[in-house]
Structures are given as structure tokens and as C-alpha cells.
Amino acid sequence: LFDYDGTLVPSLPLWVKSYQAAMHRFNHVLSEQEVIRRCFYRDWDVVADEFGIADPHALKKHVESSVRDALLSSDLFPLTLPLIQRCRALGLQTALVTTATRYIVEHALPSFLLHDQFDSVVCADDVTHFKPHPEPIHKTLQHLGRAPAEAIMIGDSTADIKSGKAAGTATALFLPEAHAPFHSFEVLRATEPDYIFTDHSELPGILGLPEN
């Protein structure tokens, strides 16, 4: 089970720039760190209220439209596509479990050649509770017909690891140095994932894939 933003795609900087552009429309100028601290991983209503923005849906629309467009000129993390293709060639089911909306995800998947690489895609639109709640993973496992013990949640955030643990799956935390501006590594490690990796080349070993 793969997270999307920050796990398959190096999109966290794209979200920063999109928030900055959207906030500028509402006469707010924010630094990268201000965006991360005051906007990331928070509900749209909460962010809009903090900045005196009357319509949180307008803020969401501006941010998501910008991210959606930016992803079309982005790339996956190296080795991501070959890894997923190899999993599928070996008969493993693969799924995408993301808090991004289908408006963003389904638009970008074809450009990454990922549109036919998942047996299940669960987005924000499909659940009532987002990660770290286990609902997205429970829904995915139901789609796949699998038990939690048969799955591993792979992600880059505390929400990913906590969601996996709450659902009863194994967990693998992607912890590249490039994510230092976006996460507290101390907080991430404190979630006690089953595995930590800094490069996607490590995943075949974590997943127990046979050597080529």
C-alpha cells in the first residue's frame, strides 16, 4: 500500500509553491516554513479561518488546481515505477492510499504511467476519516480482499505510519534527507515503523522480493 505525495512523487515542494500562490491571491505572503507550519496537514476550514479567508473551498480550489497542473511536469522518485511493475509481475497486489483528491491523483497518474499499476486507489473523496485514521487502509484491504497481516503501508509521514499501525499492517517509513524541511525526523522515528528507508532501491529487500 503506497502513499502518494512525498512517497511516490517528490511533490511536497509543489504543495508549498501552490499554497504560496493561493495565499497571495488572498493578500498573504508566506515563506516556505510558514506554509509548512501553518498550512500543511491541517483542515482547509482551519487554515482559512486562521488567515481570515471567508471561503475555504476557494482556497482549496486554488491550491489543488496549482498542484494538479504542476504534477504534469514532475517526475516520480527514481526506481518507483520499476519497483511497482516488478511487484505486479511477481503477483503482488499494489494499492494507492492517499489523502489527495481524485481531481489531483487521477489527472497525474497517466503522465507517470501509473494509471494501470494499482489494484485499488483510495483517495480523500472515498473516506470519511483521513489518515492517521485506519479507515483508508481498511477500505483498501476490503477492495483487495486481504487481511492487515498480509499488507505493508509505505509512506513518508506520521499519518501514514499511524494509519498502518492502527489498521494492523506492517509499516515502512520513507525518510530521505530532502524531507527535513517538511517533517520532524524525531517525530517520524517515534512512530516506530517496522522499516525505515532513505532510497527506493531499499524497498525490494524490505518487501522480500527475489533478486533479479
Side-chain angles (χ1 to χ4, degrees):
L1 316 183
F2 293 96
D3 171 53
Y4 184 65
D5 287 297
T7 300
L8 299 183
V9 188
S11 54
L12 300 186
L14 302 182
W15 279 94
V16 170
K17 292 182 185 301
S18 295
Y19 266 108
Q20 288 176 319
M23 283 296 183
H24 192 264
R25 288 174 174 263
F26 296 99
N27 301 313
H28 294 286
V29 178
L30 300 181
S31 68
E32 175 181 298
Q33 284 305 311
E34 285 177 314
V35 169
I36 294 167
R37 179 170 55 86
R38 302 177 69 183
C39 302
F40 270 31
Y41 314 115
R42 303 180 75 192
D43 291 341
W44 296 106
D45 291 352
V46 173
V47 175
D49 182 66
E50 181 171 319
F51 287 94
I53 298 171
D55 186 357
H57 296 291
L59 174 62
K60 179 176 184 285
K61 179 181 178 181
H62 288 312
V63 173
E64 290 194 338
S65 295
S66 181
V67 170
R68 189 175 188 256
D69 292 341
L71 281 169
L72 294 182
S73 57
S74 182
D75 295 307
L76 296 171
F77 281 108
L79 305 180
T80 297
L81 180 59
L83 169 72
I84 294 173
Q85 290 173 330
R86 186 176 171 200
C87 286
R88 296 179 67 79
L90 291 168
L92 298 179
Q93 290 176 299
T94 56
L96 192 65
V97 188
T98 176
T99 306
T101 61
R102 287 192 177 275
Y103 170 76
I104 293 175
V105 174
E106 291 192 342
H107 187 64
L109 289 182
S111 68
F112 295 132
L113 303 180
L114 288 174
H115 56 288
D116 58 355
Q117 294 299 307
F118 298 110
D119 298 290
S120 175
V121 176
V122 170
C123 299
D125 319 66
D126 305 314
V127 297
T128 303
H129 304 97
F130 304 145
K131 297 178 288 185
H133 195 280
E135 182 188 347
I137 293 181
H138 284 156
K139 188 156 194 169
T140 301
L141 294 175
Q142 184 178 19
H143 286 172
L144 299 177
R146 294 292 181 176
E150 298 178 280
I152 181 168
M153 180 65 209
I154 302 168
D156 70 306
S157 72
T158 58
D160 296 319
I161 304 306
K162 288 181 177 180
S163 182
K165 285 182 171 290
T169 71
T171 53
L173 172 65
F174 181 40
L175 196 65
E177 190 59 39
H179 281 186
F182 305 99
H183 298 289
S184 164
F185 284 8
E186 180 180 0
V187 172
L188 284 171
R189 291 191 178 96
T191 61
E192 298 184 342
D194 296 293
Y195 306 95
I196 295 177
F197 64 102
T198 60
D199 189 276
H200 288 73
S201 63
E202 301 168 62
L203 272 176
I206 291 173
L207 298 176
L209 304 185
E211 295 184 6
N212 289 327

